[in-house]
Amino acid sequence: MNNIDTVVYLISSLIAISAFYIQGQEFIASMIRGQSVQSVLIAVVAFIIGWQERSYDFFILGILIIILRAFLVNYFLQKRIPKQKVYLYERKVSLSYLFLLDLIFIVISVFIIYSIAFSGIVLHSFLGNGGNSSVLVFPLTLFFQGLFLIASRRTTFTHVIGYVEEENSLVLFAMFLLPIPIIIEASVFLDVLALVVISSIVVLEKFTHEPMEELIG
Amino acid sequence: MIPGEILAVLVVVIPGVVNITYRLGIKKATIVGASADLVVAGLMYFLRPQTGFFYIQDSTMLFIIMVLSVYLLSAIYSTRYLKGIEVMGIREPTYYLLLNLFTASMLFSLEVNNYGLMWVGIEATTISSALLLITEKSETSLEATWRYIIIVSAGVTFAFISIILIYYTLGTLSVSTAIGSHVHSRIMVLAVSLALIGFGTKVGVFPVHTWLPDAHSEAPSPVSAMFSGVLLPTALYVLYRVYEIEPVRGLYVWFAVVSIVAASIFMGYQARYKRMFAYSTMENMNLALLGIAVGGSLGFTGALLLLLSHSFGKAGAFYSSGNILRFTGKKEIAEINGMHTSMPYTSTSLLMSSLAVTGAPPFGTFFGEFLILSGVLSLHMYVQFIIVIVFLAAAFISMNYNVTGMIFNGNCPNIEKDRLMPALSIFSSVIPLFIGIFFLVVYNEIL
């Protein structure tokens, strides 16, 4: 593993840590900031790969990530946090219990999925020197972390952040695997933005989500 | 650009162009646009675009006609249905605007020759249809909307991984190239399997179906008709296009069988008629998925016949549900009785559509199911055959038992004030009968 590989692995591990940071937060503003940091880190990975591969696509991708996710999505969500004190954080959440459950879920799912499906993949980029695909563990961790965040929490904001995290994982996954066509990159951004806009409308009416009798069965 | 391409573009663009009239009678423009689009699609059948940006085969045409027909019916039905809503979550022009965008995104997904853009189209259907669910604003509809957005979007991210893996293996996302590539690899199997979970979320495959009953039961009835009748088949069409690259038959067949079992069980204990119809949609979609997985002339023809008949039959069922809700204000099966005297036209359409979607002969769905099950037997899948037959029978009995109970128990004074809404329900539920009879005649002539 050369120095560039080491830096990419290091930043990727920070991305995974940022996901765990978000999971451990109870205040909505902290989660949103965590998502911004995560997006910036993904953009940095895009710049490094772009520089190493001499590909402008990755630079465009990195700039788009910073503008759209780190700033725009952050701005939309921050603006929608209700001013009342009770809405500033997610109450009745057993953080330590969820965190433990999260760790178990992530370790098991990533281990199983990676060893069954992705361990045999040969990476085309410089990261795959010698056919090593272990870097794919990071986007997989991020993906399952996003899913767990959605499943374990009750507020609209947390669900949106979980979803953005999932989309972040897809971009990271695609960056490691291949230089994807710009059309797919654009679609992911459009998707995130549209979801955030719709969420902004829904969040005005409904802040938390609990089981409802009419929707059971 | 040759005429075929122009027609293909027009089919997608017309519903969007109609939105120009947002402030000037979008309601009437939507109906005119839907009718015009149906004519353009009819012309496109004869002047098919060459494979390039578009990939339109006979089966695609069938889906396009289905989408446009149910869109037209729902647009007309909405003109009356929306009048009775007390608290609107979105304004009436916005409703039609979203309905048009929703249709355009479905048509785009069907026509385009690129898996990435198909995925974009499927995501666009979620974005354009989500706010339609809060037309009848309530706490429940808001929760259903949210579940729809988050579950479907999260599910479809699996489909995105599948798309990435297809590109990784083939170096292209072109549907026509990928289908003819005959590349067999472990990664491709993984991609097609992930598509089953990803696009399957939208199709209603167990266990990622959970948004389906909530969204269908809380949406306004014309939107429920669009969801059941054409949105799910559109997602199934995209899934079929992925499946064509590398048929993972065993996995698809078993997922379809388990989903049919689950849908039949859920259907049996539903207290609300719209949720019951939603689970019936899940059952029918998975039956069509089974047909696609089985493949061959039997399975594939059966799936197409089933989907075509089901789209009109289920639209009829949801229009009938809309009539019941509008005239009685009740959602529970147990609260409705004596429909044959209180709502004679709606009771006719409800019974017809119920028989149609449960596969009673001689409705088109019956022949679709018959062909699919013949396909299953032809592959010697006896265990799957027996399981499906048993649970189809259970679903048939439970649904028709509930519907006949609503219609024939008791007598009530006539409360059916509107004529257009019941007329549309009957019209829609009669079509599967004609499809069945037409198929029988054609099939006999071939034999």
Side-chain angles (χ1 to χ4, degrees):
Chain A
M1 193 183 280
N2 61 32
N3 289 340
I4 302 291
D5 285 0
T6 311
V7 172
V8 171
Y9 270 74
L10 200 64
I11 298 172
S12 300
S13 60
L14 287 175
I15 292 169
I17 290 167
S18 73
F20 287 113
Y21 167 80
I22 293 169
Q23 178 68 45
Q25 294 306 303
E26 148 177 76
F27 280 86
I28 287 159
S30 308
M31 288 186 207
I32 297 170
R33 277 197 293 274
Q35 184 276 320
S36 284
V37 171
Q38 188 179 88
S39 300
V40 170
L41 288 171
I42 290 172
V44 172
V45 173
F47 292 141
I48 293 171
I49 297 178
W51 175 67
Q52 190 71 14
E53 301 269 314
R54 306 279 186 272
S55 169
Y56 289 112
D57 274 359
F58 286 98
F59 282 101
I60 298 169
L61 182 64
I63 292 165
L64 281 173
I65 290 171
I66 288 178
I67 295 172
L68 292 167
R69 294 193 192 197
F71 289 107
L72 221 55
V73 170
N74 184 321
Y75 172 75
F76 266 120
L77 291 176
Q78 293 275 11
K79 211 178 158 195
R80 290 293 182 197
I81 299 176
K83 300 295 174 216
Q84 295 100 312
K85 201 177 173 185
V86 285
Y87 291 130
L88 291 175
Y89 66 97
E90 197 169 9
R91 291 176 301 169
K92 296 176 187 169
V93 179
S94 174
L95 284 178
S96 51
Y97 167 73
L98 280 178
F99 203 78
L100 189 66
L101 207 63
D102 178 39
L103 280 175
I104 296 167
F105 171 72
I106 298 294
V107 169
I108 292 174
S109 51
V110 171
F111 174 76
I112 291 173
I113 300 290
Y114 176 75
S115 51
I116 290 176
F118 293 101
S119 56
I121 285 183
V122 179
L123 299 184
H124 292 310
S125 69
F126 70 99
L127 288 160
N129 293 333
N132 191 356
S133 63
S134 56
V135 76
L136 292 178
V137 165
F138 298 112
L140 281 174
T141 305
L142 200 56
F143 185 79
F144 285 107
Q145 181 63 61
L147 273 182
F148 188 83
L149 194 65
I150 293 170
S152 64
R153 298 298 188 89
R154 296 270 174 244
T155 64
T156 307
F157 283 100
T158 325
H159 289 173
V160 175
I161 292 164
Y163 181 74
V164 174
E165 222 169 58
E166 268 193 65
E167 295 280 351
N168 272 345
S169 78
L170 294 180
V171 172
L172 197 63
F173 186 75
M175 277 197 306
F176 289 152
L177 204 55
L178 44 99
I180 50 171
I182 197 79
I183 194 80
I184 295 183
E185 296 158 13
S187 72
V188 175
F189 293 125
L190 284 174
D191 189 32
V192 169
L193 271 186
L195 191 84
V196 170
V197 171
I198 291 173
S199 313
S200 303
I201 298 167
V202 177
V203 81
L204 289 177
E205 307 286 344
K206 198 158 172 58
F207 184 76
T208 57
H209 305 273
E210 300 292 341
M212 299 180 91
E213 198 191 333
E214 285 184 48
L215 300 178
I216 291 171
Chain B
M1 197 185 270
I2 58 167
E5 269 79 30
I6 296 173
L7 292 174
V9 170
L10 279 176
V11 166
V12 178
V13 166
I14 288 173
V17 169
V18 165
N19 289 335
I20 296 169
T21 60
Y22 183 74
R23 290 178 186 280
L24 307 160
I26 193 171
K27 194 194 307 188
K28 286 176 186 162
T30 300
I31 295 167
V32 173
S35 312
D37 214 1
L38 206 48
V39 174
V40 174
L43 284 173
M44 194 168 72
Y45 182 79
F46 301 103
L47 293 166
R48 202 77 56 79
Q50 290 178 339
T51 302
F53 185 77
F54 299 108
Y55 185 65
I56 300 171
Q57 295 185 313
D58 285 344
S59 54
T60 321
M61 282 308 306
L62 200 74
F63 281 88
I64 291 171
I65 299 293
M66 259 162 61
V67 170
L68 289 171
S69 306
V70 177
Y71 166 49
L72 176 62
L73 287 171
S74 284
I76 300 171
Y77 188 87
S78 299
T79 57
R80 295 292 173 88
Y81 185 83
L82 294 186
K83 281 182 185 169
I85 299 175
E86 288 169 4
V87 185
M88 293 270 285
I90 50 172
R91 293 176 61 236
E92 196 179 11
T94 310
Y95 171 88
Y96 286 102
L97 178 128
L98 291 171
L99 197 69
N100 296 332
L101 291 176
F102 178 37
T103 308
S105 50
M106 278 190 279
L107 294 167
F108 178 76
S109 306
L110 291 171
E111 286 190 359
V112 77
N113 185 20
N114 183 296
Y115 287 109
L117 293 177
M118 274 181 167
W119 183 84
V120 173
I122 292 295
E123 265 303 89
T125 59
T126 310
I127 293 158
S128 53
S129 62
L131 293 179
L132 282 171
L133 295 187
I134 52 168
T135 308
E136 292 176 86
K137 194 176 166 189
S138 64
E139 190 78 2
T140 329
S141 70
L142 276 166
E143 182 61 28
T145 306
W146 187 243
R147 287 188 190 185
Y148 172 56
I149 294 170
I150 212 72
I151 295 171
V152 170
S153 301
V156 174
T157 50
F158 281 94
F160 190 81
I161 298 178
S162 161
I163 303 289
I164 292 172
L165 292 176
I166 290 171
Y167 188 80
Y168 169 80
T169 313
L170 301 178
T172 177
L173 287 177
S174 160
V175 178
S176 50
T177 314
I179 289 171
S181 63
H182 303 295
V183 172
H184 303 289
S185 69
R186 208 173 64 137
I187 303 297
M188 197 50 92
V189 171
L190 175 67
V192 177
S193 307
L194 280 173
L196 177 63
I197 302 294
F199 292 117
T201 308
K202 201 105 185 182
V203 175
V205 172
F206 182 84
V208 281
H209 69 284
T210 49
W211 66 275
L212 195 150
D214 300 342
H216 282 63
S217 59
E218 293 308 314
S221 290
V223 175
S224 303
M226 294 274 285
F227 271 40
S228 265
V230 290
L231 172 64
L232 274 64
T234 301
L236 185 59
Y237 174 84
V238 174
L239 183 58
Y240 162 65
R241 286 293 179 220
V242 177
Y243 179 75
E244 272 187 302
I245 309 174
E246 174 74 63
V248 191
R249 182 178 281 156
L251 186 76
Y252 274 56
V253 164
W254 274 113
F255 260 90
V257 170
V258 171
S259 302
I260 291 166
V261 171
S264 301
I265 294 169
F266 291 138
M267 207 191 298
Y269 62 80
Q270 291 309 309
R272 293 182 170 81
Y273 49 85
K274 281 184 85 175
R275 277 185 90 83
M276 179 179 72
F277 286 131
Y279 280 116
S280 156
T281 302
M282 181 180 162
E283 181 213 357
N284 276 284
M285 286 306 118
N286 282 288
L287 207 48
L289 177 65
L290 181 64
I292 284 168
V294 165
S297 59
L298 285 173
F300 189 63
T301 313
L304 290 183
L305 191 58
L306 178 77
L307 288 172
L308 184 65
S309 306
H310 171 264
S311 67
F312 290 102
K314 194 48 69 64
F318 277 112
Y319 297 148
S320 306
S321 305
N323 300 346
I324 299 168
L325 192 62
R326 184 61 58 244
F327 300 137
T328 66
K330 292 167 182 169
K331 289 183 173 180
E332 304 262 346
I333 294 167
E335 289 176 333
I336 313 290
N337 48 47
M339 275 181 65
H340 71 290
T341 51
S342 63
M343 288 176 274
Y345 298 109
T346 301
S347 63
T348 308
S349 66
L350 185 70
L351 186 62
M352 295 264 287
S353 53
S354 169
L355 290 170
V357 298
T358 48
F363 288 92
T365 39
F366 170 76
F367 296 109
E369 288 181 8
F370 180 79
L371 291 177
I372 292 166
L373 291 171
S374 304
V376 173
L377 276 183
S378 71
L379 292 174
H380 308 292
M381 295 176 171
Y382 301 113
V383 177
Q384 292 91 328
F385 176 82
I386 291 166
I387 295 172
V388 171
I389 277 284
V390 167
F391 283 93
L392 279 184
F396 182 91
I397 293 165
S398 68
M399 185 155 163
N400 288 306
Y401 173 78
N402 281 331
V403 166
T404 47
M406 288 163 74
I407 294 172
F408 297 112
N409 283 350
N411 282 301
C412 303
N414 194 326
I415 51 168
E416 219 166 33
K417 303 296 178 202
D418 192 275
R419 286 283 173 266
L420 182 67
M421 287 163 71
L424 282 170
S425 320
I426 292 178
F427 178 74
S428 190
S429 53
V430 162
I431 294 175
L433 189 63
F434 283 116
I435 293 170
I437 293 167
F438 179 76
F439 173 79
L440 207 57
V441 171
V442 172
Y443 192 66
N444 267 331
E445 281 189 11
I446 294 169
L447 285 176

